[in-house]
Amino acid sequence: MIVGNRKEFGEILEKLGTARRVLVLGCNECVTVCGVGGEREVGVLASELRLYWQKEGQDFAVKEHTLERQCDYEYIDAIRPLTGEYDVILSMACGAGVQYVAEAYKPRLVIPAVNTTFLGVTLEQGVWSERCQGCGSCIVDMTGGVCPIARCAKSLLNGPCGGSSGGKCEIDRDTDCAWQLIVDRLTESGQMERYEEIQPVKDWRTGRDGGPRKRVREDLKL
Amino acid sequence: MKTNSRIEKLLGQGAFVVTSECGPPRGADPEVIRRKGELLRGVVDAVNVTDNQTSVVRMSSLSAAVILKGMGLEPVLQMVCRDRNRIALQSDLLGAGALGISNVLCLSGDHQKFGDHPQAKNVYDIDSIQLIQTVCRMRDEGKFLGGEEIKGKPALFVGAAANPFADPFEIRAARLGKKVKAGCEFVQTQCIYNIERFRRWMEMVRERGLHERCAILAGVTPFKTAGMANYMKKNVPGMDVPDEMISRMKGVPKEKQAEEGIRICVETIAELREIPGVRGIHLMAIEWEDRVAEIVKAAGLLPRPE
């Protein structure tokens, strides 16, 4: 899933500027699962705003609403009548959702309340970890199911570097060395001969470096 | 000989090679490099020029290498994959060839987190093993990574680093094997303090016959103080400093610790020379170039061959 962090309240206030009629818009997908932008968090942020402006003695209108998805136009479009009453839409979706809402309601101001961070997994309640950088050509079958691009700080395809120590990465003792994990998995599955193969230079065109990506499936188009 | 490299020539003659290093300054003053170079003249066979080591911005390694070359020294151009993509790396390799540089050392590079610009975006388009392949392809096949032909191939003797002390230990010789397979002709190791572990690594290296295909230069760094020994043990990832070393440094008064550090270094060199497959020493006297001559002399490695 897509994982994010909510922005600090102070930063959100600053971004809102003089706007006091705010639609706080959540998303029921990834940001709900990682606890940053679902119905509950929409309620929390809306309450924070109301309390703050109340204390300041200001007039305001803060509306809470959570869409099934902010990355599908049908859901976004369905709230058109609601949006007219507000100066600003404060989106709590990921970076994709925020942009799609902004596109649908231009020229209305749409403000992100969340910093989108990574594609990851839930390690335990309240803990998420990065797993994928969307490079567009997966090789984890070669690396014991561990992605060195997303999980090695240097994205080394032929690691580990000389900074791997006690299973941890040189950048931080709390970060696992991806190549230690890869070696462990290859050893466990009797595939260490794979380690001896040199991974060739990667063609990054399938990733971000090839420019913004778009996918068209003719068979699915209406 | 594939190149005009002095290291390649000496290794070919069976000499025990001595290399050292020289960190470029954090400014544009060429005199800093010249002063350091002067201290190493006639004392070592080649001088590594570090590439923004520990991710701190310094004069470029290629510029500093050219300054040393102009003084008649033999530079080893260090290149890290952190800051340049394959376009810039290949371009600089051509430049190095054109400027008469004969040795290149291919490295991943420290993560920028450790440096003075931790906010920077890193590159890591290719890794150190792929950089070795790139240099060999350019030199031997006359081709760029993209497949186009090179007009005027860079004649570079190709080296890399090896760290016998990083984890996982069991793949450390296999990793060197990959570097050798990629075309690496010499390696300089991480600083050796734990000789026993280095011996075990060398056994694994010899089992694979890697020492016959790639010259292994054993890395040493003299401690200046007990504090430095302690710092290296605790804070430098992939560094193995046994407790005995630290107690030995702490066991002498502060004003005599530098001499003790040098004594340990000279003893270490003597032990390393006895290990089969070790073809030379890489002496990294960090900001201590003025002591290199006496260490090399005390180790019985002077004069250097012509």
Side-chain angles (χ1 to χ4, degrees), chain B residues 108 189-190 220 226 259 285:
Chain B
S108 311
T189 77
Q190 175 64 287
V220 288
E259 303 317 311

Side-chain angles (χ1 to χ4, degrees), chain A residues 161-183:
Chain A
C161 72
S164 177
S165 182
K168 299 296 174 188
C169 173
E170 70 176 23
I171 64 159
D172 162 13
R173 302 271 167 195
D174 293 330
T175 303
D176 290 329
C177 167
W179 275 95
Q180 175 77 59
L181 297 175
I182 292 168
V183 168

Side-chain angles (χ1 to χ4, degrees), chain A residues 158 160 166 171 195 202, chain B residues 86 113 127 167 175 178 208:
Chain A
N158 296 285
I171 64 159
Y195 181 76
K202 191 172 171 71
Chain B
R86 64 189 79 180
K113 179 183 173 162
D127 64 26
D167 292 319
R175 182 158 159 78
K178 287 172 87 164
R208 289 173 170 257

Side-chain angles (χ1 to χ4, degrees), chain A residues 32-154:
Chain A
T32 296
V33 184
C34 69
V36 287
E39 202 172 340
R40 188 176 154 274
E41 294 76 29
V42 165
V44 171
L45 179 55
S47 303
E48 276 181 274
L49 288 170
R50 289 186 195 112
L51 282 169
Y52 182 82
W53 284 326
Q54 224 156 39
K55 218 171 94 191
E56 300 275 298
Q58 301 194 20
D59 287 332
F60 60 87
V62 176
K63 169 80 179 165
E64 301 170 26
H65 192 83
T66 299
L67 294 181
E68 200 49 43
R69 275 199 287 284
Q70 286 191 32
C71 52
D72 269 324
Y73 189 80
E74 289 71 28
Y75 295 111
I76 298 173
D77 193 45
I79 56 160
R80 200 162 288 280
L82 186 69
T83 59
E85 300 167 37
Y86 300 92
D87 311 327
V88 161
I89 300 172
L90 187 53
S91 168
M92 300 195 78
C94 69
V98 181
Q99 290 184 56
Y100 218 9
V101 168
E103 192 178 320
Y105 293 110
K106 60 185 179 225
R108 191 182 310 277
L109 189 56
V110 174
I111 290 172
V114 164
N115 293 321
T116 305
T117 46
F118 55 79
L119 297 184
V121 296
T122 310
L123 287 185
E124 57 183 275
Q125 180 70 25
V127 182
W128 295 271
S129 170
E130 182 163 19
R131 288 292 183 272
C132 179
Q133 289 195 346
C135 75
S137 54
C138 195
I139 53 144
V140 300
D141 56 311
M142 300 291 295
T143 51
V146 176
C147 175
I149 293 161
R151 299 177 70 185
C152 165
K154 301 176 185 172

Side-chain angles (χ1 to χ4, degrees), chain A residues 153-154 156-166 170-171 180 183 192 195-202 204, chain B residues 86 109-111 113-114 122 124-127 129-130 133 163 166-168 171-172 174-175 178 181 208 237-238:
Chain A
K154 301 176 185 172
L156 301 182
L157 285 170
N158 296 285
C161 72
S164 177
S165 182
E170 70 176 23
I171 64 159
Q180 175 77 59
V183 168
M192 265 311 277
Y195 181 76
E196 310 272 340
E197 294 165 31
I198 297 176
Q199 288 287 329
V201 292
K202 191 172 171 71
W204 294 103
Chain B
R86 64 189 79 180
D110 294 316
H111 193 270
K113 179 183 173 162
F114 300 103
N122 62 32
Y124 294 117
D125 173 21
I126 63 176
D127 64 26
I129 289 178
Q130 294 163 344
Q133 285 181 319
N163 187 355
D167 292 319
I171 57 94
R172 286 291 149 187
R175 182 158 159 78
K178 287 172 87 164
K181 193 154 93 177
R208 289 173 170 257

